[in-house]
Amino acid sequence: MENTRNFCIIAHIDHGKSTLADRLLEYTGTLSGKDLKEQVLDSMDLEKERGITIKSHPIRMDYRRPGGEAFVLNLIDTPGHVDFHYEVSRSLAACEGALLVVDAVQGVQAQTINNLYLALEHNLEIIPVINKIDLAAARTEYVTEQFVDLLGCDPDEILLVSAKQGTGVRELLEAICNRVAPPQGDPEAPAKALIFDSVFDPYIGAVAYVRMFAGRFKHRDWIRLYRGGATFEVQELGWFRLARVAQKTLSAGEVGYLATGAKDVRNIRVGDTITLRDRPCAEALPGYAVAKPMVFSGLYPTNNDDYDDLLDALQKLQLNDASLTWEKETSAALGFGFRCGFLGLLHMEIVQERLEREYDLDLICTLPNVEYEVVDKLGNVSLVENPALLPTEREIKEIREPIVHAAVLTPKEYVGAIIQITLERRGVQTKMVYLDPERVSLEFDLPLSELVVDYYDKLKSVSRGYASLDYEYRRHQADDLVRLDLLINGDPVDALTCIVHRDNAYSWGLKLCQKLKELIPRQMFQVAIQAAVGTRVLARTSVKPFRKNVTAKCYGGDITRKRKLLEKQKEGKKRMKQVGSVEIPQEAFLAVLRVER
């Protein structure tokens, strides 16, 4: 244990975290030859294309100092995005140290600060690292000043690295050995391990990624989950290289895996404590919480024959992603589908893309919405994830929506534009701090429903990509919210129903009607598109019908002949309207996302 170091790398998206991990693996000889490729710890094609870590992959490295002393370094990789905040916090709880990596060009970003505070809460030793120093646009001195202001550290403690070229990697490994404390724990005490991730293996069932805090586990031991209560026999245990390496025991201070044989990864919850069934530990490790979905959306197959395939795909995907939740639902417009819960917008995008790529499905995704608390006239509180299921206005006393605390870091010239777009989305500014003469930190309380639709895109647009955003859930708060229904020829389209603030209902409904008018094809009869709140129609537009010129054959003669033909046509169109149904194209369901606010 004296020569073991458990550490992680925390950074904002695209600051070089995965590339730095590659160089550490290369320098310690963990990788060589054919295994040596970019972003080796990112196993999915999607991760490599987007340049982000979606599923973390821990790895064990053996490092021998020039003097001959050998160290075991356990790198516990963490996802970088705010959606996976809880998984990051559990990964940090499994470490004693963290490399805080900042891009020499971009400098400190919103998520860098958020992850730093998270690391400080877990009392980790922070090693500041400035990456990409080889770039022509690198501002090393400026970023060093930012680090000194942020951490209050000595400039000499900051390590300068180029992960791409391998500059400064040996000094970084030495700093990990010298500065990060060795793990503590009694190998003879009752076994206690923290689950920081889990995956599903078709051969050995659910596999828990664990950090041992006390005691030891052996092959064929019976283990118990402290919070879940389930018991399992250890099928296999061991360490991580690029693949899993089986061992006979796992003891205090080590990072490894336990194959439980469980058929469902939902039994193996991130943050739970594993102990021995016959010799349990006295108390669980702190910080356990069930990952709570924040964004909800309906997923429907474009072809109803693919419904069973989508069900099968969701069940398989949930085995590797316990934070994904779903339940069956039916829509009059889209047929049979599923109401899915996600940790955030990025999580939603990734799940949809994985379903389409890995399972060859063609999907329609409805407008993302959030979970509302609805209080009825009798004082009963219910949770509503689907806007179409919201009760009528006369039954509701109040509707509470989730509020998030958003932190935005931006160059000073974009402050006015960012405040404006936030206030337009019902945000309330709570704080503004000049971190230095060029950069400003803005903090807002903002409804989550406004943030998930288009806020991030607008933020990047008005700041030319320089502003960065981080947010966390704070509370549910009552406001004057209403259900906005879209009616096509008098019939509500439940997939286009949304919950909006009463002040925005008219403008939002009008824009939506105009957008649908462009997308719905013309029929032989007039198609009326209406936006309504309850029984009150706020906006209306119409798709004009095709018109056949039935009087073309009448040349001259009495006007009554023409009138008779026109009346006959009118009767036919009336009858057609009664039996005719309007086909709503797939693009219409995505129109809500593209409507300019």
Side-chain angles (χ1 to χ4, degrees), residues 68-81:
E69 192 178 7
F71 282 83
V72 171
L73 307 179
N74 287 310
L75 166 59
I76 300 173
D77 198 16
T78 60
H81 200 272

Side-chain angles (χ1 to χ4, degrees), residues 386-393 396 399 481-485 492 497-500 505 532-534 538:
N386 187 347
L389 301 178
L390 193 73
T392 56
E393 271 194 90
I396 298 172
I399 303 173
L481 303 169
V482 292
R483 186 176 91 179
L484 183 70
D485 289 311
T497 300
C498 51
I499 296 174
V500 297
V533 171
L538 300 179

Side-chain angles (χ1 to χ4, degrees), residues 142-269:
Y142 171 62
V143 179
T144 302
E145 287 172 20
Q146 287 185 338
F147 257 139
V148 171
D149 291 341
L150 188 64
L151 293 171
C153 61
D154 194 290
D156 297 337
E157 295 175 22
I158 300 167
L159 300 171
L160 305 181
V161 170
S162 167
K164 198 166 188 179
Q165 295 184 344
T167 311
V169 174
R170 192 181 72 79
E171 290 80 0
L172 184 57
L173 287 164
E174 284 295 314
I176 293 166
C177 297
N178 293 331
R179 297 194 211 173
V180 178
Q184 303 297 313
D186 182 2
E188 304 306 321
K192 185 191 286 189
L194 170 74
I195 303 174
F196 62 85
D197 203 355
S198 60
V199 296
F200 185 79
D201 186 294
Y203 299 106
I204 51 177
V207 179
Y209 290 7
V210 296
R211 155 70 201 275
M212 298 292 298
F213 279 90
R216 58 170 61 89
F217 290 121
K218 297 191 293 293
H219 186 235
R220 295 296 174 195
D221 273 349
W222 277 90
I223 57 173
R224 180 167 74 86
L225 297 176
Y226 212 96
R227 312 274 182 177
T231 58
F232 303 101
E233 187 180 22
V234 177
Q235 308 292 318
E236 188 186 303
L237 50 77
W239 303 327
F240 297 102
R241 292 291 187 185
L242 274 183
R244 294 190 287 266
V245 181
Q247 300 294 321
K248 289 181 180 176
T249 61
L250 266 186
S251 58
E254 290 188 314
V255 174
Y257 69 92
L258 293 170
T260 60
K263 300 298 179 201
D264 194 338
V265 81
R266 283 174 293 181
N267 294 323
I268 315 296
R269 291 280 186 186

Side-chain angles (χ1 to χ4, degrees), residues 101-148:
V101 178
V102 170
D103 188 321
V105 179
Q106 297 181 41
V108 174
Q109 302 281 298
Q111 216 174 312
T112 316
I113 295 175
N114 187 57
N115 284 342
L116 169 65
Y117 289 154
L118 208 55
L120 292 173
E121 279 174 30
H122 290 92
N123 298 318
L124 300 192
E125 176 65 37
I126 307 295
I127 300 176
V129 179
I130 299 176
N131 189 22
K132 306 188 185 180
I133 57 166
D134 57 306
L135 297 180
R139 301 178 296 167
T140 310
E141 290 180 9
Y142 171 62
V143 179
T144 302
E145 287 172 20
Q146 287 185 338
F147 257 139
V148 171

Side-chain angles (χ1 to χ4, degrees), residues 73-93:
L73 307 179
N74 287 310
L75 166 59
I76 300 173
D77 198 16
T78 60
H81 200 272
V82 62
D83 286 4
F84 309 107
H85 180 272
Y86 176 61
E87 284 185 40
V88 174
S89 74
R90 293 305 87 210
S91 295
L92 294 179

